[in-house]
C-alpha cells in the first residue's frame, strides 16, 4: 500500500478518491499491520473525540506514533490535525490523542455563526492560484513550536503548518478537485 487513510471514522472515501485521481495506490487502514506497511498516512476529518477513542480502543495510537517516529509522512486534516496536536484547547475530557506535533489547536474555533465556509488561501510552498479551502467546524492553530513552519493563514489565524514530514490542515483538501495539497504531501515521501 503506498498511502493509507485511517478508516475508523470520518471523510475516508474522499481522501482515497483524491489520491486515486493522482494515480496513487491508496487504501483504508484499520490495523497496526496495515499502518506499518504504508509509505504515508492520512488522518481524515471527522470527529476528533470519536476517532481518538476508537484509535485507543483498537490499539492504533502507538502504531501511528511509531509511524511518525520512523520518519514517514503524516497528513492530518481538521479532526486529524487535532489528534496530532501536542495541546488541544477545548478538548473533550479524556480525549485520547497522538500529541506528535508541536502545535496548540483550538477546536471549533470559528464558532457557531460560521460553522462551515470556504476561503481562498495563499499556501506557502504551493505555486499557482490560491487554494480554495473548505472549513467545517474547523480548528485553528493557536500556537506553533520552533520547528513548525506556518504555511497558510486565514484572517490572521494559522490554518496550515508543517513540522518535518507532518502536515496539519484546518480545512478539507479532499473536498475540492484541486490536487495540489495532496501532491505537496506526497512529495514528502
Ligand atoms: N469539530 C471537529 C472536531 O473537533 C472537527 C471537524 C472536522 O473534522 N471537519 O473533531
Amino acid at each position: 500500500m503506498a498511502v493509507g487513510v485511517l478508516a475508523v471514522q470520518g471523510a475516508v472515501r474522499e481522501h482515497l478518491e483524491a489520491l486515486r485521481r493522482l494515480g496513487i495506490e491508496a487504501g483504508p487502514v484499520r490495523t497496526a499491520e496495515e499502518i506499518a506497511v504504508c509509505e504515508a498516512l492520512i488522518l481524515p476529518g471527522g470527529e476528533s473525540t470519536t476517532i481518538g477513542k476508537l484509535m485507543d480502543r483498537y490499539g492504533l495510537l502507538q502504531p501511528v506514533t511509531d509511524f511518525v517516529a520512523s520518519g514517514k509522512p503524516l497528513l492530518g486534516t481538521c479532526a486529524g490535525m487535532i489528534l496530532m496536536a501536542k495541546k488541544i484547547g477545548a478538548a473533550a475530557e479524556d480525549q485520547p490523542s497522538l500529541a506528535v506535533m508541536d502545535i496548540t489547536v483550538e477546536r471549533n474555533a470559528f464558532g457557531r455563526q460560521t460553522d462551515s465556509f470556504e476561503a481562498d488561501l495563499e499556501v506557502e510552498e504551493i505555486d499557482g492560484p490560491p487554494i480554495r479551502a473548505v472549513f467545517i467546524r474547523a480548528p485553528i492553530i493557536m500556537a506553533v513550536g520552533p520547528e513548525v513552519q506556518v504555511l497558510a493563514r486565514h484572517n490572521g489565524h494559522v490554518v496550515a503548518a508543517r513540522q518535518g514530514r507532518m502536515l496539519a490542515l484546518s480545512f478539507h483538501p479532499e473536498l475540492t478537485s484541486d490536487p495540489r495539497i495532496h501532491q505537496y504531501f506526497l512529495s514528502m515521501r
Side-chain angles (χ1 to χ4, degrees):
M1 181 68 59
V3 181
V5 180
L6 185 81
V8 296
Q9 194 259 343
V12 178
R13 182 172 43 88
E14 293 82 351
H15 273 294
L16 291 174
E17 282 167 7
L19 293 165
R20 287 170 186 159
R21 277 199 299 273
L22 290 169
I24 298 291
E25 188 206 334
V29 293
R30 296 186 184 85
T31 65
E33 293 72 24
E34 287 169 342
I35 290 167
V37 297
C38 291
E39 285 173 29
L41 183 65
I42 296 180
L43 306 177
E47 180 52 51
S48 57
T49 312
T50 306
I51 297 175
K53 285 185 176 159
L54 290 172
M55 289 178 77
D56 189 25
R57 187 183 304 165
Y58 302 151
L60 299 178
L61 293 167
Q62 192 59 46
V64 177
T65 307
D66 294 344
F67 187 88
V68 170
S70 76
K72 292 183 189 173
L74 179 69
L75 165 65
T77 58
C78 207
M81 169 174 101
I82 295 169
L83 289 161
M84 289 163 72
K86 287 214 166 140
K87 288 197 199 122
I88 307 173
E93 229 170 278
D94 73 10
Q95 173 159 14
S97 83
L98 296 160
V100 287
M101 187 164 170
D102 198 6
I103 55 175
T104 302
V105 300
E106 183 77 25
R107 296 179 65 199
N108 304 318
F110 289 100
R112 279 204 201 120
Q113 301 307 315
T114 46
D115 219 24
S116 305
F117 61 96
E118 295 187 18
D120 288 324
L121 300 181
E122 298 285 350
V123 182
E124 246 177 74
E125 315 250 4
I126 297 182
D127 295 332
I131 301 251
R132 189 79 180 158
V134 179
F135 294 83
I136 304 169
R137 294 188 305 285
I140 287 174
I141 300 173
M142 310 297 283
V144 302
E147 284 166 31
V148 177
Q149 178 187 8
V150 170
L151 295 179
R153 294 173 194 267
H154 174 64
N155 290 346
H157 302 299
V158 177
V159 293
R162 175 176 179 169
Q163 178 181 354
R165 290 199 178 85
M166 289 183 279
L167 180 61
L169 308 172
S170 297
F171 54 94
H172 288 266
E174 77 285 7
L175 296 183
T176 58
S177 56
D178 191 332
R180 288 177 291 165
I181 295 268
H182 285 92
Q183 280 168 332
Y184 174 64
F185 172 61
L186 293 167
S187 77
M188 295 180 188
R189 287 181 299 169

